Amino acid sequence: MTARVLSASSADIDRAVAALKSGELVAIPTETVYGLAGLALHTDALARIFAAKERPTFDPLIAHVAPSPRGERLLALSRVHLVDLTQLTAAARTTAEALADAFWPGPMTLVLPRTRAVPDLCTAGLDSVAVRMPAHPVAQEILRRVGEPLAAPSANRFGRVSPTTAAHVMAELHDRIDWIVDGGPCAVGVESTVLAVQGDGSCALLRPGGVTEAQLAAVSGQPVVRPQVSPLALPSPGLLASHYAPNKPLHLLPAPLHALDRAARARLLAPDAVVLVASGRGDHAAEFHTVLLTPDGTDATAAQRLFACLREMDAAQGTLYAEPITQTTGLWPAIADRLGRASAPRL
Ligand code: AMP
Ligand code: MG
Protein backbone atom coordinates (compact mmCIF):
# COMPACT_ATOMS: atom_id res chain seq x y z
CA MET A 1 0.00 0.00 0.00
CA THR A 2 1.26 3.47 -0.83
CA ALA A 3 -0.60 6.50 0.47
CA ARG A 4 -2.09 8.80 -2.13
CA VAL A 5 -2.14 12.54 -1.64
CA LEU A 6 -5.44 14.35 -2.10
CA SER A 7 -5.88 18.09 -2.53
CA ALA A 8 -8.41 20.25 -0.74
CA SER A 9 -10.64 20.37 -3.86
CA SER A 10 -14.27 19.47 -3.38
CA ALA A 11 -13.91 16.27 -5.43
CA ASP A 12 -10.88 15.15 -3.40
CA ILE A 13 -12.60 15.94 -0.12
CA ASP A 14 -15.52 13.79 -1.32
CA ARG A 15 -13.09 10.90 -1.72
CA ALA A 16 -11.66 11.45 1.75
CA VAL A 17 -15.13 11.63 3.25
CA ALA A 18 -16.24 8.43 1.50
CA ALA A 19 -13.14 6.63 2.77
CA LEU A 20 -13.75 7.83 6.33
CA LYS A 21 -17.43 6.89 6.23
CA SER A 22 -16.50 3.37 5.19
CA GLY A 23 -14.22 3.05 8.21
CA GLU A 24 -10.87 3.76 6.52
CA LEU A 25 -8.21 6.15 7.79
CA VAL A 26 -7.33 9.50 6.19
CA ALA A 27 -4.58 11.85 7.33
CA ILE A 28 -6.03 15.36 7.48
CA PRO A 29 -4.61 18.83 8.09
CA THR A 30 -5.54 20.66 11.28
CA GLU A 31 -4.17 23.96 12.58
CA THR A 32 -2.09 22.13 15.23
CA VAL A 33 -0.50 19.14 13.43
CA TYR A 34 -1.69 16.63 10.81
CA GLY A 35 -4.14 14.11 12.30
CA LEU A 36 -4.72 10.48 11.40
CA ALA A 37 -8.51 10.53 11.21
CA GLY A 38 -11.02 7.71 11.64
CA LEU A 39 -14.61 7.41 12.92
CA ALA A 40 -14.49 8.10 16.67
CA LEU A 41 -17.59 6.09 17.54
CA HIS A 42 -16.55 2.93 15.66
CA THR A 43 -14.21 0.48 17.32
CA ASP A 44 -12.95 -0.97 14.01
CA ALA A 45 -11.77 2.40 12.74
CA LEU A 46 -10.19 3.21 16.10
CA ALA A 47 -8.35 -0.12 16.09
CA ARG A 48 -6.91 0.78 12.68
CA ILE A 49 -5.59 4.06 14.08
CA PHE A 50 -3.85 2.34 16.97
CA ALA A 51 -2.36 -0.25 14.61
CA ALA A 52 -1.09 2.27 12.03
CA LYS A 53 0.51 4.43 14.71
CA GLU A 54 1.65 1.50 16.87
CA ARG A 55 0.09 3.52 19.65
CA PRO A 56 -0.42 1.71 22.98
CA THR A 57 -4.11 1.33 23.77
CA PHE A 58 -3.70 2.97 27.19
CA ASP A 59 -3.26 6.31 25.38
CA PRO A 60 -6.73 7.79 24.67
CA LEU A 61 -7.63 9.72 21.51
CA ILE A 62 -9.14 13.16 20.98
CA ALA A 63 -12.54 13.24 19.22
CA HIS A 64 -12.85 16.10 16.74
CA VAL A 65 -16.20 17.68 15.93
CA ALA A 66 -17.48 20.12 13.30
CA PRO A 67 -17.75 23.75 14.36
CA SER A 68 -20.98 25.03 15.83
CA PRO A 69 -22.06 28.53 16.89
CA ARG A 70 -21.24 30.19 20.18
CA GLY A 71 -23.56 29.06 22.96
CA GLU A 72 -24.34 25.75 21.24
CA ARG A 73 -20.97 24.07 21.41
CA LEU A 74 -21.49 21.91 24.48
CA LEU A 75 -24.95 20.91 23.27
CA ALA A 76 -23.37 19.90 19.97
CA LEU A 77 -21.06 17.51 21.85
CA SER A 78 -24.07 15.89 23.42
CA ARG A 79 -26.00 15.77 20.11
CA VAL A 80 -23.23 13.73 18.48
CA HIS A 81 -23.32 11.36 21.48
CA LEU A 82 -19.86 12.15 22.82
CA VAL A 83 -20.47 14.00 26.07
CA ASP A 84 -22.98 13.38 28.87
CA LEU A 85 -23.81 16.91 29.99
CA THR A 86 -25.96 15.64 32.87
CA GLN A 87 -22.78 14.60 34.66
CA LEU A 88 -21.31 18.12 34.67
CA THR A 89 -21.75 20.26 37.78
CA ALA A 90 -23.16 23.74 37.18
CA ALA A 91 -19.73 25.25 37.86
CA ALA A 92 -18.00 22.89 35.45
CA ARG A 93 -20.59 23.60 32.79
CA THR A 94 -20.12 27.35 33.16
CA THR A 95 -16.36 27.02 32.75
CA ALA A 96 -16.62 24.59 29.84
CA GLU A 97 -19.07 26.89 28.04
CA ALA A 98 -16.87 29.93 28.53
CA LEU A 99 -13.80 28.06 27.25
CA ALA A 100 -15.64 26.57 24.28
CA ASP A 101 -17.03 29.98 23.31
CA ALA A 102 -13.62 31.62 23.59
CA PHE A 103 -11.26 29.05 22.08
CA TRP A 104 -13.29 26.88 19.71
CA PRO A 105 -12.73 26.38 16.90
CA GLY A 106 -9.07 26.23 17.92
CA PRO A 107 -6.17 24.41 19.60
CA MET A 108 -7.85 23.54 22.90
CA THR A 109 -9.09 20.10 24.00
CA LEU A 110 -11.59 19.63 26.83
CA VAL A 111 -11.81 16.40 28.81
CA LEU A 112 -15.52 15.92 29.68
CA PRO A 113 -17.80 13.11 30.92
CA ARG A 114 -18.37 10.58 28.15
CA THR A 115 -21.55 8.83 27.01
CA ARG A 116 -21.76 5.08 26.62
CA ALA A 117 -21.72 5.51 22.84
CA VAL A 118 -18.00 6.30 22.97
CA PRO A 119 -15.95 3.10 22.56
CA ASP A 120 -13.50 2.24 25.34
CA LEU A 121 -10.73 2.26 22.75
CA CYS A 122 -11.28 6.00 22.24
CA THR A 123 -10.99 6.79 25.95
CA ALA A 124 -8.63 4.02 27.09
CA GLY A 125 -11.46 2.88 29.34
CA LEU A 126 -11.65 6.22 31.21
CA ASP A 127 -15.08 7.63 32.00
CA SER A 128 -14.17 10.90 30.28
CA VAL A 129 -13.60 11.77 26.63
CA ALA A 130 -11.29 14.40 25.11
CA VAL A 131 -12.98 16.67 22.55
CA ARG A 132 -11.94 19.50 20.26
CA MET A 133 -13.36 21.67 17.45
CA PRO A 134 -10.48 22.27 15.04
CA ALA A 135 -10.07 25.60 13.22
CA HIS A 136 -8.55 24.36 9.95
CA PRO A 137 -11.11 24.90 7.15
CA VAL A 138 -10.27 21.58 5.48
CA ALA A 139 -10.71 19.64 8.74
CA GLN A 140 -13.97 21.48 9.31
CA GLU A 141 -15.28 20.67 5.83
CA ILE A 142 -14.40 16.99 6.25
CA LEU A 143 -16.06 16.85 9.69
CA ARG A 144 -19.21 18.53 8.37
CA ARG A 145 -19.49 16.15 5.44
CA VAL A 146 -18.74 13.03 7.49
CA GLY A 147 -21.42 14.12 9.96
CA GLU A 148 -19.96 12.40 13.00
CA PRO A 149 -16.92 12.81 15.28
CA LEU A 150 -13.46 11.80 14.07
CA ALA A 151 -10.64 10.64 16.29
CA ALA A 152 -7.47 12.19 14.91
CA PRO A 153 -4.22 11.73 16.84
CA SER A 154 -1.07 13.07 15.23
CA ALA A 155 -0.32 11.25 11.97
CA ASN A 156 3.03 9.80 13.02
CA ARG A 157 4.25 6.55 14.48
CA PHE A 158 3.92 6.56 18.27
CA GLY A 159 6.52 8.52 20.21
CA ARG A 160 7.98 10.24 17.16
CA VAL A 161 8.02 13.77 15.84
CA SER A 162 4.54 15.07 14.93
CA PRO A 163 3.91 15.96 11.25
CA THR A 164 3.18 19.55 10.24
CA THR A 165 3.13 19.01 6.46
CA ALA A 166 1.66 16.34 4.17
CA ALA A 167 5.24 15.35 3.24
CA HIS A 168 5.98 14.61 6.91
CA VAL A 169 2.91 12.33 7.05
CA MET A 170 4.09 10.57 3.90
CA ALA A 171 7.51 9.99 5.49
CA GLU A 172 5.89 8.54 8.63
CA LEU A 173 2.98 6.48 7.34
CA HIS A 174 3.25 6.05 3.53
CA ASP A 175 3.04 2.26 3.73
CA ARG A 176 0.35 2.15 6.42
CA ILE A 177 -2.49 4.37 5.20
CA ASP A 178 -4.29 5.01 1.90
CA TRP A 179 -5.03 8.74 1.92
CA ILE A 180 -3.41 12.01 2.94
CA VAL A 181 -5.24 15.31 2.39
CA ASP A 182 -2.72 18.10 1.77
CA GLY A 183 -3.90 21.34 3.35
CA GLY A 184 -0.51 23.05 3.50
CA PRO A 185 1.74 23.55 6.52
CA CYS A 186 0.03 23.71 9.93
CA ALA A 187 -0.31 27.25 11.28
CA VAL A 188 0.06 26.55 15.01
CA GLY A 189 2.55 23.68 14.81
CA VAL A 190 2.19 22.20 18.31
CA GLU A 191 -0.66 20.08 19.60
CA SER A 192 -3.72 21.41 21.42
CA THR A 193 -3.77 22.39 25.08
CA VAL A 194 -5.54 19.58 26.97
CA LEU A 195 -7.67 20.60 29.96
CA ALA A 196 -9.88 18.69 32.37
CA VAL A 197 -12.74 20.80 33.71
CA GLN A 198 -13.21 19.90 37.37
CA GLY A 199 -16.36 19.81 39.48
CA ASP A 200 -15.60 23.15 41.16
CA GLY A 201 -15.21 24.85 37.77
CA SER A 202 -11.41 25.02 37.87
CA CYS A 203 -9.22 23.53 35.15
CA ALA A 204 -6.42 21.00 35.34
CA LEU A 205 -3.82 21.52 32.62
CA LEU A 206 -3.04 18.05 31.27
CA ARG A 207 -0.85 19.17 28.36
CA PRO A 208 0.41 22.64 27.45
CA GLY A 209 -0.35 23.52 23.84
CA GLY A 210 -1.64 26.06 21.34
CA VAL A 211 -3.78 28.02 23.83
CA THR A 212 -1.71 29.61 26.59
CA GLU A 213 -2.24 29.40 30.35
CA ALA A 214 -2.72 33.16 30.54
CA GLN A 215 -5.49 32.99 27.92
CA LEU A 216 -7.19 30.16 29.80
CA ALA A 217 -7.06 31.88 33.15
CA ALA A 218 -8.33 35.15 31.68
CA VAL A 219 -11.39 33.52 30.10
CA SER A 220 -12.29 30.99 32.78
CA GLY A 221 -11.70 33.39 35.67
CA GLN A 222 -10.49 30.25 37.44
CA PRO A 223 -7.08 29.01 38.48
CA VAL A 224 -5.39 26.60 36.08
CA VAL A 225 -3.68 23.90 38.10
CA ARG A 226 -0.93 21.63 36.90
CA PRO A 227 -1.48 18.16 38.36
CA GLN A 228 1.51 16.56 40.03
CA VAL A 229 2.84 13.91 37.71
CA SER A 230 3.78 10.54 39.10
CA PRO A 231 4.98 8.04 36.53
CA LEU A 232 2.84 5.44 38.30
CA ALA A 233 -0.40 7.40 38.12
CA LEU A 234 -0.37 9.65 35.10
CA PRO A 235 -3.44 11.93 35.14
CA SER A 236 -3.29 11.91 31.36
CA PRO A 237 -1.39 9.31 29.37
CA GLY A 238 0.01 11.87 26.90
CA LEU A 239 2.29 13.00 29.72
CA LEU A 240 4.66 10.11 29.04
CA ALA A 241 8.23 11.30 29.49
CA SER A 242 9.67 10.28 26.12
CA HIS A 243 7.66 11.48 23.14
CA TYR A 244 7.95 13.61 20.00
CA ALA A 245 11.42 12.12 19.60
CA PRO A 246 13.69 12.21 16.56
CA ASN A 247 15.44 8.96 15.55
CA LYS A 248 18.76 10.16 16.89
CA PRO A 249 19.16 11.09 20.56
CA LEU A 250 18.60 14.78 21.26
CA HIS A 251 20.62 16.39 24.05
CA LEU A 252 19.22 19.39 25.89
CA LEU A 253 21.95 21.93 26.71
CA PRO A 254 22.04 23.44 30.22
CA ALA A 255 22.18 26.99 28.82
CA PRO A 256 21.88 28.78 25.46
CA LEU A 257 25.02 28.72 23.30
CA HIS A 258 25.63 32.45 23.76
CA ALA A 259 25.78 31.91 27.55
CA LEU A 260 28.44 29.17 27.33
CA ASP A 261 32.11 30.12 27.16
CA ARG A 262 34.50 28.39 24.77
CA ALA A 263 35.60 25.80 27.37
CA ALA A 264 32.00 24.92 28.25
CA ARG A 265 31.07 24.59 24.59
CA ALA A 266 34.04 22.26 24.02
CA ARG A 267 33.08 20.17 27.05
CA LEU A 268 29.34 19.97 26.34
CA LEU A 269 29.15 19.66 22.57
CA ALA A 270 30.61 17.14 20.15
CA PRO A 271 32.57 18.62 17.20
CA ASP A 272 29.83 17.43 14.83
CA ALA A 273 27.07 19.15 16.85
CA VAL A 274 23.82 20.12 15.16
CA VAL A 275 22.21 22.67 17.49
CA LEU A 276 18.62 23.88 17.65
CA VAL A 277 19.02 27.55 18.54
CA ALA A 278 15.94 28.72 20.43
CA SER A 279 17.35 31.95 21.83
CA GLY A 280 17.06 33.77 18.52
CA ARG A 281 20.80 34.49 18.35
CA GLY A 282 22.87 33.03 15.55
CA ASP A 283 26.27 33.78 17.21
CA HIS A 284 27.79 30.35 16.75
CA ALA A 285 26.72 29.55 13.21
CA ALA A 286 30.38 29.45 12.13
CA GLU A 287 31.38 27.05 14.89
CA PHE A 288 28.49 24.54 14.70
CA HIS A 289 25.74 23.50 12.34
CA THR A 290 22.91 25.56 13.82
CA VAL A 291 19.19 25.44 13.07
CA LEU A 292 17.39 28.64 13.97
CA LEU A 293 14.04 27.82 15.62
CA THR A 294 12.49 31.26 15.33
CA PRO A 295 14.04 33.60 12.75
CA ASP A 296 11.71 36.43 13.80
CA GLY A 297 12.11 35.69 17.54
CA THR A 298 8.40 35.05 18.22
CA ASP A 299 6.92 32.09 20.10
CA ALA A 300 4.33 31.61 17.33
CA THR A 301 7.06 31.07 14.73
CA ALA A 302 8.99 28.80 17.10
CA ALA A 303 5.90 26.61 17.62
CA GLN A 304 5.08 26.56 13.94
CA ARG A 305 8.62 25.49 12.99
CA LEU A 306 9.49 23.20 15.93
CA PHE A 307 8.68 19.76 14.51
CA ALA A 308 10.00 20.58 11.02
CA CYS A 309 13.28 21.73 12.62
CA LEU A 310 13.55 18.45 14.57
CA ARG A 311 13.01 16.50 11.33
CA GLU A 312 15.62 18.62 9.53
CA MET A 313 18.13 17.99 12.33
CA ASP A 314 17.40 14.26 12.29
CA ALA A 315 18.23 14.18 8.58
CA ALA A 316 21.54 16.05 9.09
CA GLN A 317 24.85 14.32 9.90
CA GLY A 318 25.90 14.85 13.50
CA THR A 319 25.00 14.78 17.17
CA LEU A 320 21.79 16.61 18.04
CA TYR A 321 21.49 19.32 20.71
CA ALA A 322 18.85 21.87 21.64
CA GLU A 323 19.15 25.07 23.60
CA PRO A 324 16.90 25.14 26.67
CA ILE A 325 13.77 27.29 26.53
CA THR A 326 14.22 30.12 29.02
CA GLN A 327 11.01 32.05 28.28
CA THR A 328 7.93 31.08 30.32
CA THR A 329 5.04 32.92 28.66
CA GLY A 330 2.88 32.41 25.57
CA LEU A 331 3.56 29.25 23.57
CA TRP A 332 7.03 28.76 25.11
CA PRO A 333 5.84 26.30 27.82
CA ALA A 334 4.31 24.09 25.10
CA ILE A 335 7.56 24.25 23.13
CA ALA A 336 9.64 23.50 26.25
CA ASP A 337 7.35 20.55 27.01
CA ARG A 338 7.86 19.04 23.52
CA LEU A 339 11.64 19.59 23.60
CA GLY A 340 11.86 18.10 27.08
CA ARG A 341 10.08 14.96 25.92
CA ALA A 342 12.02 14.79 22.64
CA SER A 343 15.24 14.73 24.70
CA ALA A 344 14.02 12.47 27.53
CA PRO A 345 15.74 9.12 28.06
CA ARG A 346 14.04 6.40 26.03
CA LEU A 347 12.72 3.27 27.65
P1 AMP B 1 -3.05 13.32 20.92
O1 AMP B 1 -1.88 12.41 21.22
O2 AMP B 1 -2.67 14.65 20.40
O3 AMP B 1 -4.09 12.62 20.16
O4 AMP B 1 -3.70 13.68 22.32
C1 AMP B 1 -4.25 12.72 23.11
C2 AMP B 1 -3.88 13.05 24.51
O5 AMP B 1 -4.96 13.69 25.15
C3 AMP B 1 -3.64 11.79 25.32
O6 AMP B 1 -2.31 11.33 25.18
C4 AMP B 1 -3.94 12.27 26.71
O7 AMP B 1 -2.84 12.91 27.28
C5 AMP B 1 -5.03 13.29 26.50
N1 AMP B 1 -6.33 12.68 26.76
C6 AMP B 1 -7.18 12.16 25.85
N2 AMP B 1 -8.27 11.69 26.47
C7 AMP B 1 -8.13 11.91 27.78
C8 AMP B 1 -8.93 11.64 28.94
N3 AMP B 1 -10.12 11.05 28.84
N4 AMP B 1 -8.44 12.01 30.14
C9 AMP B 1 -7.25 12.63 30.24
N5 AMP B 1 -6.45 12.90 29.18
C10 AMP B 1 -6.88 12.55 27.97
MG1 MG C 1 0.95 12.69 18.99
Side-chain angles (χ1 to χ4, degrees), residues 299-318:
D299 56 339
T301 298
Q304 206 269 328
R305 285 171 47 82
L306 175 67
F307 291 130
C309 286
L310 289 177
R311 279 174 193 277
E312 177 189 330
M313 292 170 69
D314 218 6
Q317 294 296 317

Side-chain angles (χ1 to χ4, degrees), residues 154 156 162 243:
S154 54
N156 53 274
S162 304
H243 213 106

Side-chain angles (χ1 to χ4, degrees), residues 32-33 53 55 58-64 109-112 122-124 126-131 152-154 158 162 191-192 194-196 206-207 234-240 243-244:
T32 57
V33 302
K53 282 182 60 78
R55 181 172 171 123
F58 61 73
D59 195 0
L61 304 178
I62 297 172
H64 293 67
T109 294
L110 292 179
V111 173
L112 295 165
C122 186
T123 67
L126 297 169
D127 51 16
S128 55
V129 61
V131 189
S154 54
F158 184 71
S162 304
E191 290 81 356
S192 59
V194 181
L195 286 176
L206 300 180
R207 176 176 75 186
L234 291 172
S236 178
L239 301 175
L240 281 175
H243 213 106
Y244 313 108

Side-chain angles (χ1 to χ4, degrees), residues 142-194:
I142 290 172
L143 283 161
R144 268 195 220 99
R145 292 205 212 172
V146 169
E148 51 177 306
L150 293 173
S154 54
N156 53 274
R157 283 169 277 156
F158 184 71
R160 294 164 51 98
V161 178
S162 304
T164 52
T165 66
H168 295 165
V169 180
M170 188 60 100
E172 285 286 324
L173 299 175
H174 62 92
D175 54 349
R176 299 176 183 210
I177 60 173
D178 288 315
W179 305 106
I180 301 170
V181 179
D182 188 348
C186 301
V188 177
V190 290
E191 290 81 356
S192 59
T193 303
V194 181

Side-chain angles (χ1 to χ4, degrees), residues 71-80 85 93 97:
E72 293 175 25
R73 291 177 186 147
L74 284 196
L75 276 182
L77 303 181
S78 131
R79 255 187 245 121
V80 292
L85 293 177
R93 184 163 178 150
E97 264 165 359

Side-chain angles (χ1 to χ4, degrees), residues 179-264:
W179 305 106
I180 301 170
V181 179
D182 188 348
C186 301
V188 177
V190 290
E191 290 81 356
S192 59
T193 303
V194 181
L195 286 176
V197 181
Q198 310 189 109
D200 64 0
S202 66
C203 297
L205 181 70
L206 300 180
R207 176 176 75 186
V211 171
T212 69
E213 270 185 76
Q215 291 175 308
L216 293 168
V219 164
S220 67
Q222 295 275 350
V224 178
V225 297
R226 280 173 177 257
Q228 290 300 312
V229 181
S230 145
L232 295 177
L234 291 172
S236 178
L239 301 175
L240 281 175
S242 171
H243 213 106
Y244 313 108
N247 286 317
K248 285 186 238 160
L250 174 71
H251 308 280
L252 206 53
L253 293 169
L257 278 184
H258 67 78
L260 297 171
D261 62 21
R262 179 169 287 280

